[in-house]
Amino acid sequence: MVDSLSLPSLFPSSSSLFPRVVSALRAAGCVFAEDEARLILSAARTAGEAGDMVARRAAGLPLEHVVGWAEFCGLRIAVDAGVFVPRRRTEFLVGQAAALALALPSPRAVVVDLCCGSGAVGAALAAVLGDAELHAADIDPAAVRCARRNIGADGAVYEGDLYEPLPRELQGRIDILVANAPYVPTEAIALLPGEARDHEARVALDGGSDGLDVQRRVAAAAADWLAPGGHLLVETSERQAARTVGTFLAAGLSAQVVECDELDATVVVGTAPGVGTAPGVGTAQRVGTAPGVGAAPGAGTAPSVDEASSVPAPASACAAGPRSRRA
């Protein structure tokens, strides 16, 4: 896990620059100026590069784009300019997916990460599951380049629209299908923080008129790709969850809502029919705070995390201790 408070400086004069960098970031409105200054100075190779990075951050670029990475599930995830920054709340999605994968009877889960963005979810699942057969896809070429770097030899990354670029032999074989699809309604894009609105790809944010357009497309074809009893997991918002459940049921999947208070995260878990089973609505679960678990401060916890959008896995802040409630 990256510890932002103990990262080494890469040039001798960085310590003397620290007060000036903090002042510049504070003047630009950065709430976590000290932490951001440490990250910038640890990433910069020269004083001139540090100055350029401070100027870009002061101009409103997300910190993750400035330093080139975000912390996610204890991993350092490369994030290039314009690529969606992985949100800490999405660690809950990873935790739910990993728990289901680890419970499978098969020794090697087949995992697909749709709308993979930087590949953060897929990379985190690969780190936890070890020997999973991992595939990931995204429509944005810049995101695909990032995902290939982050996933590396742990899986295959494809460029294209949802299922279109996946190998046909995956049909009917996928055990865990995760899709952190965009779910911000189109009219709400203008209300997002400028770091997201102005510096992340629109295709990674815009979920259509009600925010669920991409989720509907994912769910509609899921049954063709999932193995019997396989799971589809999507991140959504609490207010949209009921409609997401309806989308899953219409696609022939059972559906369960799982929520995490600490991360303000909502995940809908769909399950394909197995032998002798039929789709239905399961008991929803609300997961409370799990003390002592969570990521250390880093680029991924900076203020660029967009509270209006989406956002190690079993040790995610809300992976344990559910208390149930009826959907």
Side-chain angles (χ1 to χ4, degrees):
M1 180 175 290
V2 177
D3 180 356
S4 68
L5 301 182
S6 61
L7 289 169
S9 300
L10 298 185
F11 56 95
S13 61
S14 62
S15 59
S16 64
L17 286 176
F18 181 74
R20 293 166 54 193
V21 171
V22 170
S23 295
L25 293 173
R26 279 181 178 156
C30 297
V31 177
F32 303 103
E34 290 86 355
D35 289 346
E36 294 195 16
R38 291 185 180 97
L39 284 166
I40 287 172
L41 291 173
S42 71
R45 292 165 293 186
T46 67
E49 186 174 15
D52 290 341
M53 294 171 78
V54 170
R56 282 182 284 152
R57 179 65 180 136
L61 270 70
L63 177 64
E64 295 84 353
H65 290 167
V66 171
V67 300
W69 62 274
E71 185 184 4
F72 183 78
C73 288
L75 303 176
R76 183 178 287 206
I77 300 296
V79 183
D80 290 339
V83 174
F84 183 82
V85 175
R87 278 41 169 177
R88 184 168 179 254
R89 67 164 59 90
T90 305
E91 292 182 0
F92 183 59
L93 174 67
V94 173
Q96 297 301 307
L100 290 169
L102 291 169
L104 291 169
S106 57
R108 190 173 192 234
V110 178
V111 178
V112 171
D113 179 9
L114 285 187
C115 305
C116 70
S118 64
V121 171
L125 287 172
V128 172
L129 301 178
D131 193 35
E133 179 185 337
L134 174 65
H135 302 263
D138 200 282
I139 198 170
D140 178 15
V144 169
R145 289 193 294 272
C146 267
R148 285 175 175 156
R149 293 188 354 243
N150 290 318
I151 291 174
D154 290 330
V157 181
Y158 313 94
E159 181 182 334
D161 185 23
L162 299 182
Y163 301 96
E164 182 272 328
L166 296 178
R168 298 300 105 178
E169 55 265 29
L170 285 176
Q171 288 186 320
R173 293 186 55 235
I174 299 173
D175 297 305
I176 303 294
L177 174 59
V178 291
N180 190 20
Y183 55 91
V184 180
T186 301
E187 290 186 355
I189 297 292
L191 305 177
L192 296 180
E195 291 175 345
R197 183 184 65 244
D198 299 332
H199 299 288
E200 292 180 321
R202 177 76 176 234
V203 70
L205 301 172
D206 193 341
S209 60
D210 65 353
L212 303 181
D213 283 359
V214 182
Q215 288 186 11
R216 289 189 187 94
R217 294 178 57 214
V218 170
D224 294 333
W225 292 86
L226 289 173
H231 303 287
L232 166 63
L233 300 93
V234 302
E235 182 178 288
T236 189
S237 69
E238 185 174 11
R239 68 181 179 277
Q240 293 166 309
R243 282 175 290 168
T244 300
V245 165
T247 297
F248 278 35
L249 295 176
L253 307 175
S254 65
Q256 182 181 41
V257 180
V258 188
E259 298 171 307
C260 174
D261 292 333
E262 182 179 341
L263 296 181
D264 188 26
T266 302
V267 169
V268 177
V269 181
T271 303
V275 178
T277 64
V281 179
T283 300
Q285 295 180 328
R286 181 179 298 278
V287 179
T289 300
V293 181
T301 61
S304 64
V305 175
D306 159 31
E307 294 303 322
S309 70
S310 66
V311 300
S316 176
C318 290
R323 61 179 188 273
S324 297
R325 66 174 177 82
R326 183 62 57 181

